[in-house]
Amino acid sequence: MRFALVLGLAALSTVMAGCSRTPPDARQAPVVTATVETPPVASDGDAADDPAIWVSPRDPAQSLIVGTDKGRGLELYTLAGKRLQALKAGDMNNVDLRAGFAMNRGDIVLVAASDRTHQALAFFRLDTQQRRLQLINRITVDFDEPYGLCMSRNAAGEFFVFMGDKNGHLDQWQLSAAGGKVQARHVRSLRFDSQTEGCTVDAASGTLYVGEEGKGIWRLSAAADADGSDRTLIDHTGTDGHLVADVEGVDLYRGADAGGYLVVSSQGDNRYTVYTRAVPNRYLGSFRIGDRRGGPDGVSDTDGLAVAAGLRTDAYPAGLLVVQDGHNTDPEATQDFKYVSWADVAAALKLSR
């Protein structure tokens, strides 16, 4: 979430200088660069928001990126950053996807998005052969404004979607198919003190991670019958935390044997924080995305992000990180998405790949 008011921020920064909440290592955070950027989205202002990555099991080079345009719908891109489709479907805030969803006597790649136009969960099929998105159906929800969203597929093969609003509600639905449509059965409601957005699920451990924008990152059970009382704040925006509000995109770099990393967008200071995937999710460091000589401009004010450890190509030998860029410059344009090689992140933070 961004503040619409810009005037007076410089003065406010001066007033707050003596009590800044910026983590002590912020200025020293190493810088990586993006290798690819997508075309700018069609909508002006705060429009692009959240990406999701489909990894082709047969040819990773044919993997696809889905992104949201909050003023228009969904965008579909290649690994080279080429736009394949701009689907007008309503104001989509966040998006996620999972393969292997049983529908119409076959398995599909199911895409879910938080639809603010229709106050709904919107479901799409990603046709990986035709490389197109197709709307399946929408399910209206009792939210003032659908907002953050993530999906999961548990060890039993059950599919779920989590979606929140701007009032601290986060609800969970179990998904199934009937009559050529997606069905969603509400299974639980969670309540946070303030607005949440980014979330992701570690299916291997049954863990849900939720970003409360002004507070930090929570860890709790993803099980439908859990009451949420097990939640633990793993990092926060306070003076001794490593995050600066707003806490935005959240995803997992899922390494082999339950190894890997939790990656979070610390929007308030234009950084990305990295933690161990293994509990207790130890903080490992932060990085920034800067200008690339002769290539994409740097990234700031990031909302959503997605990371895929399993996407291995010559260009991305250790996986891919996709981030939304809140200020697309050089040349000045509407917002877009930028691709970063995880190998560069791993090298900058001295992480195991």
Side-chain angles (χ1 to χ4, degrees):
M1 180 186 69
R2 298 180 180 81
F3 295 104
L5 296 177
V6 176
L7 296 177
L9 283 180
L12 178 61
S13 297
T14 301
V15 172
M16 295 297 292
C19 53
S20 172
R21 296 190 300 169
T22 301
D25 67 339
R27 293 183 181 274
Q28 287 74 43
V31 177
V32 301
T33 60
T35 58
V36 170
E37 62 182 324
T38 67
V41 298
S43 302
D44 293 330
D46 182 18
D49 193 285
D50 191 41
I53 304 171
W54 172 73
V55 180
S56 170
R58 295 184 178 180
D59 182 2
Q62 298 302 310
S63 299
L64 299 169
I65 313 300
V66 180
T68 60
D69 179 342
K70 290 186 287 193
R72 187 179 179 94
L74 295 179
E75 306 250 318
L76 185 63
Y77 308 102
T78 68
L79 275 193
K82 177 183 177 182
R83 179 188 284 120
L84 295 171
Q85 184 183 12
L87 180 63
K88 292 183 179 180
D91 299 352
M92 302 294 164
N93 196 83
N94 279 32
V95 66
D96 204 358
L97 59 83
R98 288 294 183 276
F101 185 75
M103 173 172 274
N104 297 335
R105 300 181 181 179
D107 288 347
I108 68 168
V109 178
L110 180 65
V111 178
S114 46
D115 184 341
R116 303 195 303 189
T117 298
H118 302 94
Q119 292 183 283
L121 286 162
F123 297 101
F124 305 81
R125 178 193 177 195
L126 175 57
D127 185 331
T128 59
Q129 297 298 313
Q130 299 297 319
R131 307 200 330 161
R132 306 290 288 178
L133 288 159
Q134 303 163 345
L135 177 65
I136 301 173
N137 64 284
R138 298 181 177 91
I139 297 175
T140 303
V141 297
D142 187 21
F143 278 10
D144 290 335
E145 185 174 359
Y147 204 58
L149 176 144
C150 59
M151 297 179 69
S152 70
R153 182 183 182 182
N154 66 16
E158 298 170 322
F159 286 76
F160 296 90
V161 63
F162 298 80
M163 188 168 73
D165 65 9
K166 290 189 174 183
N167 297 315
H169 300 101
L170 182 70
D171 284 14
Q172 180 178 359
W173 293 263
Q174 184 170 353
L175 305 179
S176 59
K181 295 184 177 182
V182 179
Q183 309 292 317
R185 180 175 65 88
H186 185 269
V187 292
R188 71 166 169 167
S189 295
L190 298 167
R191 177 74 181 180
F192 293 84
D193 291 337
S194 59
Q195 179 172 306
T196 66
E197 184 169 11
C199 63
T200 192
V201 175
D202 190 341
S205 62
T207 304
L208 169 66
Y209 294 94
V210 179
E212 187 174 355
E213 291 194 354
K215 190 163 188 177
I217 297 292
W218 294 95
R219 180 184 67 238
L220 62 159
S221 174
D225 58 355
D227 63 8
S229 61
D230 62 333
R231 70 183 67 181
T232 300
L233 190 67
I234 64 174
D235 201 356
H236 59 90
T237 59
T239 54
D240 57 345
H242 302 100
L243 297 164
V244 175
D246 287 343
V247 179
E248 291 282 348
V250 180
D251 203 6
L252 284 165
Y253 179 92
R254 297 170 173 86
D257 301 322
Y261 309 99
L262 176 69
V263 187
V264 178
S265 168
S266 177
Q267 190 185 74
D269 61 351
N270 303 316
R271 294 181 310 128
Y272 308 86
T273 55
V274 179
Y275 310 83
T276 60
R277 179 183 177 187
V279 173
N281 307 113
R282 181 170 56 89
Y283 172 72
L284 297 174
S286 302
F287 65 95
R288 299 177 185 269
I289 302 174
D291 295 332
R292 187 181 187 90
R293 184 183 296 272
D297 57 291
V299 180
S300 59
D301 213 18
T302 290
D303 280 324
L305 61 79
V307 62
L311 196 160
R312 304 294 177 104
T313 66
D314 290 343
Y316 304 108
L320 172 67
L321 170 67
V322 179
V323 300
Q324 178 261 8
D325 186 5
H327 298 284
N328 189 21
T329 61
D330 195 23
E332 290 285 343
T334 55
Q335 297 176 347
D336 66 357
F337 298 93
K338 292 184 166 71
Y339 302 178
V340 177
S341 172
W342 186 259
D344 294 342
V345 175
L349 294 182
K350 298 179 174 58
L351 304 175
S352 171
R353 297 191 297 179

